[in-house]
Amino acid sequence: MDIKLFDRVLALGNLIGQAELAYIEANSDLQVLSWNAGAKNIFGYSEEDTMGRYLYELVPITRRELNSLDGTRFTTVEYTNSAGETIPCDLYYSPIMTTEGEKKGVAILCKDISSKIKDKQNLEEQQQYIHDIFGFAPFGIFHVNNHGRIVKANPEFAWMLGYETADLVTERIANFWSQMFFDPENSDEFKFGVFEADQLIRFRCRLKRRDNTFVWSLCYAKATWDSTGRRSGFNGFALDISETVKAEQALKKAHDKLQMLAVMDGLTSIPNRRRFDEYLESEWRRCFRDKKHLSVILADIDFFKLYNDTYGHQAGDDCLRQVAQAIQKSAGRASDLAARYGGEEFALILPDTHLEGAVKVAQTARTLVERLRITHESSRVSAHVSLSLGVACVIPQEGKTALELVAQADNALYNAKEEGRNRVKASD
């Protein structure tokens, strides 16, 4: 996890603790997963006492209520804890949902309201305390009304969006849906999650900044209701996860590069033997299913050992690179694959290709290499580097394997060499 994001999550937990709120989470089976110090103070059980126990055994909410919970509920109760103390509480409980609408568990937020009942002044002080939290919270907090206007925002949210003050956010963002999302398609998805699904949602998106750049954000939102029971908008908070996303993207890029390197030949920059084997098996299965022809060409540079002995391995490597590019060029379709088979051997896989078409591709490869005009004074068949090629084609059948097709192409290559090299030979 990104260090900044981790610090912010810790800060959020600390703020909940400072506000003396009990926060409890349970899984879909209603077994307790999280039980903070505030919960211990109110209900009298320590975290160790509660882990794995059923939530309805510990708090004044029935099992039926928890199982049928489909939206946020509120109740005020007088609870007698394990120490025999009766504590009046405001208790909120809500299902924890994914953006796809799957219920993952239940969350409870509970506040001891003894002080509220005993002393109105204390309540006012607590309200001021919450106001202070809103002001310096290290994550964005906002409220949006039914018309889509941001009517309240904290300084952190303003900073995330590139505004100097929270007042500028409320003045200038009149339509949350059209002005806030850098990717327009996220707007309807977010709106549905908040208003239609009526659940606490967790949403990862790019928020549009004042200068039309974006910030990656992890947003939480929940619809709000007024005293008459009418929806009044929604509350939300947002964490800046840009650094986390940047790290994820860098990791993915590195992973993709490693994946590519794993199937590419380092010298010639064309697919390697591993990729050839994988693709051959894949196309064999496809052509078997579709009853299509599958052709394989094996090619060998004539007298390449003598070339290395004459010009040295560095020149030999350069020769292999040029030949590889010529052979790859002969594989004209996106579905064709040219690969380095091993040493001075190359191979082509040609799906949906008859024998006659494969022979033409092989002739093209031989001609393209010939046109390179790479001097080979030690060759016994040409003054320049040349290729011998073997071609095989089948319609895959039950009981046959792709290895048999390669073996046929290899036999054809052997015959091409026996008949004088620098030529194409098709299997019988």
Side-chain angles (χ1 to χ4, degrees):
M1 180 181 288
D2 176 69
I3 296 300
K4 291 183 180 178
L5 178 58
F6 184 73
D7 288 342
R8 290 182 178 187
V9 172
L10 286 178
L12 176 60
N14 290 334
L15 291 173
I16 290 175
Q18 289 293 324
E20 299 180 353
L21 298 174
Y23 182 74
I24 304 166
E25 285 187 8
N27 63 20
S28 58
D29 294 325
L30 302 182
Q31 292 175 304
V32 175
L33 298 176
S34 177
W35 185 278
N36 76 344
K40 177 183 177 182
N41 293 337
I42 293 176
F43 298 102
Y45 299 101
S46 68
E47 183 180 17
E48 292 76 15
D49 294 332
T50 62
M51 290 301 98
R53 292 183 62 182
Y54 291 107
L55 185 59
Y56 50 82
E57 296 175 348
L58 305 171
V59 300
I61 310 174
T62 66
R63 180 179 182 179
R64 177 177 295 179
E65 285 181 286
L66 293 169
N67 280 325
S68 62
L69 190 61
D70 58 0
T72 299
R73 297 182 187 177
F74 166 77
T75 185
T76 298
V77 297
E78 286 194 350
Y79 178 77
T80 302
N81 64 22
S82 61
E85 301 170 328
T86 300
I87 302 176
C89 302
D90 279 344
L91 195 148
Y92 298 83
Y93 48 112
S94 176
I96 300 173
M97 308 295 292
T98 67
T99 55
E100 292 77 22
E102 180 185 0
K103 185 176 179 181
K104 304 295 289 185
V106 175
I108 293 179
L109 193 65
C110 183
K111 174 68 177 176
D112 179 350
I113 59 171
S114 300
S115 58
K116 172 183 176 182
I117 295 172
K118 293 177 182 179
D119 192 346
K120 182 179 179 180
Q121 181 60 40
N122 186 57
L123 174 61
E124 293 174 353
E125 291 174 358
Q126 291 298 318
Q127 289 174 334
Q128 182 60 47
Y129 184 69
I130 292 173
H131 176 77
D132 291 342
I133 291 175
F134 183 84
F136 67 76
F139 49 87
I141 305 174
F142 54 92
H143 178 74
V144 178
N145 66 19
N146 280 331
H147 302 294
R149 175 179 285 277
I150 296 180
V151 295
K152 187 173 289 186
N154 72 338
E156 179 71 11
F157 191 60
W159 177 85
M160 286 177 64
L161 300 180
Y163 292 92
E164 292 81 4
T165 67
D167 288 341
L168 286 175
V169 174
T170 57
E171 289 173 10
R172 300 187 182 184
I173 300 181
N175 190 318
F176 184 88
W177 314 113
S178 64
Q179 292 179 257
M180 286 298 299
F181 293 97
F182 192 82
D183 303 299
E185 63 272 15
N186 286 337
S187 174
D188 290 339
E189 186 179 353
F190 190 91
K191 184 185 290 187
F192 176 84
V194 174
F195 290 145
E196 301 300 328
D198 185 29
Q199 306 293 349
L200 173 68
I201 69 163
R202 180 176 182 271
F203 195 84
R204 180 166 165 162
C205 61
R206 296 192 293 180
L207 297 181
K208 188 185 297 183
R209 305 187 81 237
R210 183 180 184 180
D211 60 2
N212 206 39
T213 60
F214 65 84
V215 57
W216 274 104
S217 174
L218 183 61
C219 295
Y220 293 81
K222 183 70 179 71
T224 57
W225 308 83
D226 62 22
S227 58
T228 67
R230 295 179 179 179
R231 190 175 62 213
S232 58
F234 67 90
N235 289 327
F237 72 86
L239 296 172
D240 182 349
I241 59 170
S242 297
E243 293 301 317
T244 299
V245 172
K246 187 183 297 183
E248 289 174 352
Q249 291 172 342
L251 185 62
K252 182 180 184 303
K253 185 176 180 180
H255 178 266
D256 291 345
K257 184 176 181 180
L258 285 175
Q259 289 292 98
M260 182 187 72
L261 290 175
V263 296
M264 297 297 289
D265 179 62
L267 175 65
T268 62
S269 299
I270 67 172
N272 59 16
R273 174 67 177 272
R274 174 181 173 182
R275 177 57 181 152
F276 173 86
D277 291 339
E278 292 173 348
Y279 192 65
L280 181 62
E281 284 299 323
S282 173
E283 288 304 306
W284 178 272
R285 291 192 297 269
R286 188 185 66 80
C287 290
F288 174 82
R289 183 184 66 245
D290 297 340
K291 305 302 179 186
K292 299 286 188 179
H293 287 82
L294 178 63
S295 294
V296 167
I297 301 171
L298 291 183
D300 194 23
I301 299 177
D302 296 325
F303 301 110
F304 186 71
K305 184 178 183 304
L306 293 177
Y307 186 93
N308 267 339
D309 292 342
T310 302
Y311 301 104
H313 288 286
Q314 186 172 350
D317 288 349
D318 186 57
C319 174
L320 287 172
R321 282 189 284 266
Q322 292 186 66
V323 170
Q325 294 307 307
I327 291 175
Q328 187 174 51
K329 187 176 180 181
S330 69
R333 302 174 305 171
S335 59
D336 298 340
L337 178 82
R340 187 180 180 190
Y341 195 71
E344 69 272 23
E345 288 188 293
F346 297 88
L348 293 99
I349 299 173
L350 309 175
D352 302 341
T353 304
H354 293 263
L355 182 62
E356 295 81 0
V359 169
K360 289 181 180 179
V361 172
Q363 291 287 11
T364 298
R366 191 192 68 81
T367 300
L368 289 174
V369 169
E370 190 175 63
R371 288 176 181 172
L372 293 173
R373 309 291 290 176
I374 302 173
T375 302
H376 188 354
E377 62 185 29
S378 299
S379 174
R380 298 169 186 171
V381 296
S382 172
H384 300 93
V385 168
S386 61
L387 285 183
S388 295
L389 304 99
V391 185
C393 178
V394 298
I395 296 177
Q397 298 178 2
E398 190 74 39
K400 300 293 185 180
T401 68
L403 292 178
E404 293 178 66
L405 175 60
V406 174
Q408 291 178 31
D410 192 47
N411 286 335
L413 174 59
Y414 175 82
N415 291 333
K417 292 179 179 180
E418 286 294 299
E419 292 181 12
R421 302 182 188 254
N422 192 18
R423 66 192 62 221
V424 174
K425 184 70 176 179
S427 64
D428 298 328

